[in-house]
Amino acid sequence: MIIGIPREIKNNEYRVGLLPVHCEALRRAGHTVLVEHHAGIGSGATDADYKAAGAKLVSNAWRADMVVKVKEPQPVEIHKMRPGQVVFTYFHFAADRQLFEDVLRSGSVAIAYETIQLPDGTLPLLTPMSEIAGRMAVHQGAKYLEEPMQGRGLLLAGVPGVAPAKVVIIGGGVVGANAAKMAAGLGADVTILEISLPRLRYLDDIMPPNVNTLFSDRHTIREQLRRADLVIGAVLIPGARAPHLVTAEDLTRMKPGAVIIDVCIDQGGCCETSRPTTHADPTYVVDGIVHYCVTNMPGAVGRTSTYALCNVTFPYVMRLATLGLEGACARDPGLVAAVNIHAGRITNRAVAETFGLPFTPFTPC
Ligand SMILES: NC(=O)c1ccc[n+]([C@@H]2O[C@H](COP(=O)([O-])OP(=O)(O)OC[C@H]3O[C@@H](n4cnc5c(N)ncnc54)[C@H](O)[C@@H]3O)[C@@H](O)[C@H]2O)c1
């Protein structure tokens, strides 16, 4: 198979779909890998490294049978997609109807990293990026709480004799748990709101004493928002748009200069006033509350993120390349669910429900 690795063109995106080590393994397995010039620079891999690994350097990797990338195709890339071509990347369709419609029209096969599911319900290709985004959310929150950044002028950790900041995390999954560990490590006063009782029990067992857990309901969220200095939005309903758990009205009752890091913005965000931002211009202020809504947070730490991402994507890439789409899916029901679009049909139930369109299951022969 011919596998293409484009250079990511989303704003401040420094990750790349595969590293030279993976290109070498694919080449040894008899495949051809096309890598766009400078695709790996942000992750520390030079063109010479890819060449030495046996990849072919090209100006357009979209002529491949399968394209492996990181972020959702940008408009200029969608024009290069063609019927039957497999595109393996993060899509997050539920948050972007235009993207969904354009990809559907392209006739390509969209396999979305974020919807590959293991039998225990976990999302292995989302996990490493969520670990990174959760940890980064606390760095970013600490930075935007500073007064020159329009924040409340608070040090997350406090100092002896001065209280630490109060961090409220909505959603106690991978992002939430990683954010809680970081914030707790800095000495903040942390609360996690979650709807899953087993998850609340688990978090209660493993978290340090400065982390409290609360069941997430409307009253508790409202009460916690009033006290929060930093709010981290970390909910997920797989394949669906994030629910608006923080309303525009809630902001008026929050402390001026408080910060919301809406990590789940890639699924639409859990705050009504959230809208996607970029690393170039990451924040804006509504009713005195600083909003940070960058959709590709891990993109800013390309070296860490690319290695963490490829560790989990590469086994799927190798199987898709070697067995083909049908063969790889026949062996792995978790991959079948991740085929979001196939032959102009919507093959992921949650995506179909989000847009109120018919769902057609993908059944590998
Ligand atoms: N912005 C970025 O760069 C970036 C990077 C990585 C992940 N993300 C996003 O972060 C979000 C969270 O990812 P994750 O891996 O932690 O998901 P996860 O599935 O591990 O955790 C989500 C948690 O939210 C909980 N939840 C659902 N509804 C809730 C509610 N009403 N109140 C409280 N909790 C609720 C679920 O029970 C679950 O534990 C996703 O939308 C993901 O796409 C964004």
Side-chain angles (χ1 to χ4, degrees), residues 13 15 71 90 92 114 121-123 125-134 136 169-178 192-197 199-200 203 214-218 221 233-238 240-245 261-270 279 292-299:
E13 178 55 70
R15 290 172 286 182
K71 286 312 286 180
Y90 288 114
H92 296 287
E114 70 277 7
T122 55
L123 305 166
L125 273 58
L126 200 53
T127 302
M129 296 305 104
S130 291
E131 289 166 343
I132 291 170
M136 263 184 87
I169 300 170
I170 311 178
V174 181
V175 168
N178 276 275
I192 306 177
L193 302 171
E194 172 56 65
I195 48 168
S196 157
L197 284 169
R199 187 70 185 171
L200 281 166
L203 292 168
L214 287 174
F215 188 80
S216 171
D217 60 34
R218 182 70 197 122
I221 292 175
V235 299
L236 176 66
I237 299 166
R241 203 192 178 293
H244 283 158
L245 302 173
I261 308 284
D262 202 346
V263 182
C264 53
I265 188 65
D266 55 353
Q267 293 291 128
C270 67
H279 287 292
Y292 173 103
C293 305
V294 174
T295 50
N296 60 333
M297 292 172 67

Side-chain angles (χ1 to χ4, degrees), residues 47 49 77 92 109-110 131 136 146 172 209 250 254 264:
D47 285 359
D49 296 333
E77 295 177 314
H92 296 287
V109 181
E131 289 166 343
M136 263 184 87
E146 292 171 7
D250 289 337
M254 289 176 65
C264 53

Side-chain angles (χ1 to χ4, degrees), residues 118-322:
L118 294 181
D120 66 1
T122 55
L123 305 166
L125 273 58
L126 200 53
T127 302
M129 296 305 104
S130 291
E131 289 166 343
I132 291 170
R135 292 172 187 216
M136 263 184 87
V138 176
H139 292 184
Q140 299 302 320
K143 179 165 84 193
Y144 289 104
L145 275 171
E146 292 171 7
E147 263 173 73
M149 311 304 280
Q150 297 180 288
R152 282 176 54 68
L154 275 185
L155 183 66
L156 215 50
V159 286
V162 182
K166 175 158 174 74
V167 179
V168 172
I169 300 170
I170 311 178
V174 181
V175 168
N178 276 275
K181 270 200 294 195
M182 288 292 280
L186 287 172
D189 169 9
V190 183
T191 300
I192 306 177
L193 302 171
E194 172 56 65
I195 48 168
S196 157
L197 284 169
R199 187 70 185 171
L200 281 166
R201 291 192 185 103
Y202 170 75
L203 292 168
D204 186 68
D205 275 348
I206 60 149
M207 286 291 162
N210 54 334
V211 178
N212 295 305
T213 55
L214 287 174
F215 188 80
S216 171
D217 60 34
R218 182 70 197 122
H219 286 195
T220 312
I221 292 175
R222 210 163 36 202
E223 177 55 30
Q224 288 298 311
L225 289 174
R226 261 199 282 264
R227 301 195 208 162
D229 300 304
L230 169 62
V231 177
I232 296 176
V235 299
L236 176 66
I237 299 166
R241 203 192 178 293
H244 283 158
L245 302 173
V246 180
T247 66
E249 200 196 336
D250 289 337
L251 300 188
T252 61
R253 300 200 190 90
M254 289 176 65
K255 300 177 193 168
V259 175
I260 297 178
I261 308 284
D262 202 346
V263 182
C264 53
I265 188 65
D266 55 353
Q267 293 291 128
C270 67
C271 176
E272 194 180 353
T273 45
S274 290
R275 57 172 166 79
T277 59
T278 63
H279 287 292
D281 189 12
T283 59
Y284 60 94
V285 178
V286 179
D287 283 335
I289 309 299
V290 180
H291 291 53
Y292 173 103
C293 305
V294 174
T295 50
N296 60 333
M297 292 172 67
V301 289
R303 291 180 196 226
T304 306
S305 300
T306 294
Y307 282 84
L309 180 63
C310 293
N311 286 343
V312 288
T313 55
F314 184 63
Y316 291 95
V317 173
M318 184 57 106
R319 256 174 281 157
L320 283 162
T322 306

Side-chain angles (χ1 to χ4, degrees), residues 27-110:
R27 189 182 53 81
R28 283 186 196 281
H31 305 294
T32 301
V33 188
L34 310 178
V35 179
E36 287 186 6
H37 295 286
H38 310 308
I41 290 296
S43 302
T46 63
D47 285 359
D49 296 333
Y50 281 106
K51 206 168 170 194
K56 289 187 182 159
L57 293 166
V58 296
S59 52
N60 174 18
W62 287 87
R63 57 191 166 90
D65 305 314
M66 173 167 69
V67 169
V68 179
K69 59 192 276 23
V70 181
K71 286 312 286 180
E72 71 280 0
Q74 304 299 295
V76 57
E77 295 177 314
I78 293 174
H79 290 302
K80 298 180 187 168
M81 289 165 63
R82 51 170 211 278
Q85 180 182 49
V86 172
V87 181
F88 191 38
T89 191
Y90 288 114
F91 280 100
H92 296 287
F93 282 125
D96 190 341
R97 183 161 198 139
Q98 188 64 55
L99 170 76
F100 161 75
E101 286 176 356
D102 290 346
V103 173
L104 191 67
R105 216 172 298 121
S106 75
S108 58
V109 181

